[in-house]
Amino acid sequence: MIKAGIIGCGLMGTLHARTLSGMPGVKVTAVHNRTREKADSLAQEIGASVYDRAEDLLEQDLDAVWVATPDHLHAELAKAVLESGKHLFLEKALATSLEDGMDIVEAGKKHPELKTMVGYPLRFDPAYRKLKEALMRPEAGKTLQAWSMRTHYLDPGMKVYDKYRDHYYETPDWYFNEAEAKGPIYSHGSHDYDLLQWMCGEVESVFSYGGTYLLPPGSVADGFTVAIRFRNGGIASVSTPWITRVEYDITGVAAEGLTVLNNNGEVRIQAADGPEERITFTGNDMWERMNGHFIDCIREDRSPMISLEDGLRAIAVSEAAYRSLKERREVYVEPIA
């Protein structure tokens, strides 16, 4: 039996707890949240014990801990989990600064016996996995141009429908506080930076445009576009705005020998020769796939698909995109070894 703990019982912590509780041979036995009410509610639902301090939770007999707190609180908690000798699943984004991100990576290096993984579920979405599979074909060749636009609408005063989980949720206040979050160009966009680097290679530089359009003055930028140049010479654009009242996802890559596209769950693949392939995915079990993968890595002593270094590569692009938005210039991304 894999015994798991959850630190952070908000939207993502609750999602992971429910997903893990439905898996054979896994039991969430301990939860912690900054405010007791959410922890009590989740604990009652899944049959776990509540701990008022994260330190107390880490003293329990646990195999792994899922850290799902606000991003700016990740660094100290992630290091504490590793120092307690427990496997670490860390929600994206890795951190809200490169300095904190590098501290987490260094902590992971000190504990090579422990499994660590960053939560980027798009890599487990069957549609995106099909794109990756096609781009691995010998005839695909080098990436020429890619794009990812996944639109959202977020307002502090309303509940938001999450199509991936088929429910409504209230956005936490810290989402909109630039001192703690940095907005969708940093956190939400990091999904796309990770996804495109997974499919196309590392990013060399970015140039961002955007601003605060519908949120109150002084909030984070809620609309943006990031132009990207990969180290292999290819280019891309990323946008995950919060200002669109119609939600829509479209991600594609034009490579030398073929083009792949995920259009709201319909995958299209067109090679230089032959008919176009079209596949529609109606189910999306990426949360189960992602958490199941991490559990399997613990059981089978395998390296998880998304490392702390991958998480650092994603926020290196996030940091560059955020700086570019503020400074109105191209910003280079330092390579992550």
Side-chain angles (χ1 to χ4, degrees), residues 13-92:
T14 297
L15 171 64
H16 290 304
R18 290 170 175 166
T19 302
L20 292 166
S21 295
M23 293 180 176
V26 180
K27 174 66 176 174
V28 178
T29 61
V31 300
H32 162 75
N33 195 65
R34 287 185 297 175
T35 56
R36 177 89 188 203
E37 183 179 358
K38 287 183 178 180
D40 283 338
S41 176
L42 180 59
Q44 184 174 10
E45 176 184 338
I46 63 175
S49 298
V50 177
Y51 295 90
D52 287 328
R53 301 191 314 152
E55 296 90 338
D56 296 334
L57 180 146
L58 294 177
E59 290 177 357
Q60 307 310 307
D61 179 22
L62 300 171
D63 298 294
V65 174
W66 272 246
V67 174
T69 61
D71 301 350
H72 67 284
L73 302 177
H74 283 179
E76 293 306 315
L77 288 168
K79 290 186 288 185
V81 170
L82 294 168
E83 288 165 7
S84 73
K86 294 164 179 64
H87 304 293
L88 169 67
F89 183 101
L90 183 60
E91 251 306 320
K92 69 84 198 162

Side-chain angles (χ1 to χ4, degrees), residues 124-183:
F124 295 87
D125 182 318
Y128 293 115
R129 292 181 72 84
K130 189 66 178 179
L131 266 59
K132 170 69 171 178
E133 177 187 304
L135 290 167
M136 294 297 291
R137 297 176 187 175
E139 68 269 24
K142 186 179 72 173
T143 297
L144 304 178
Q145 184 162 355
W147 55 96
S148 188
M149 185 169 191
R150 299 181 307 110
T151 68
H152 309 270
Y153 184 74
L154 289 182
D155 182 291
M158 64 180 286
K159 286 193 173 183
V160 180
Y161 179 69
D162 185 338
K163 64 184 176 183
Y164 291 114
R165 285 154 283 197
D166 190 26
H167 79 149
Y168 287 86
Y169 67 92
E170 293 180 354
T171 53
D173 292 340
W174 63 269
Y175 266 36
F176 307 99
N177 183 343
E178 191 166 27
E180 295 179 342
K182 296 185 176 177

Side-chain angles (χ1 to χ4, degrees), residues 214-327:
L214 295 182
L215 291 176
S219 303
V220 297
D222 51 9
F224 71 93
T225 294
V226 179
I228 288 172
R229 182 178 295 279
F230 295 106
R231 298 196 192 282
N232 65 11
I235 59 173
S237 62
V238 166
S239 187
T240 60
W242 288 353
I243 59 176
T244 58
R245 290 176 173 82
V246 174
E247 290 209 5
Y248 194 83
D249 294 357
I250 185 164
T251 301
V253 180
E256 292 173 314
L258 54 77
T259 296
V260 297
L261 177 71
N262 175 17
N263 185 7
N264 255 15
E266 181 191 33
V267 169
R268 302 175 63 174
I269 305 171
Q270 179 64 65
D273 300 312
E276 180 185 28
E277 302 174 51
R278 300 182 75 148
I279 309 160
T280 300
F281 293 91
T282 55
N284 190 342
D285 60 353
M286 60 185 181
W287 306 106
E288 290 85 357
R289 284 174 179 251
M290 179 173 64
N291 282 292
H293 168 74
F294 188 61
I295 292 295
D296 287 344
C297 288
I298 294 171
R299 286 177 172 150
E300 300 167 13
D301 192 22
R302 293 192 282 116
S303 296
M305 180 190 297
I306 308 169
S307 66
L308 296 178
E309 288 83 359
D310 288 333
L312 187 60
R313 290 185 187 96
I315 67 162
V317 181
S318 294
E319 186 72 22
Y322 180 78
R323 284 180 53 204
S324 176
L325 186 67
K326 295 296 183 182
E327 299 170 13

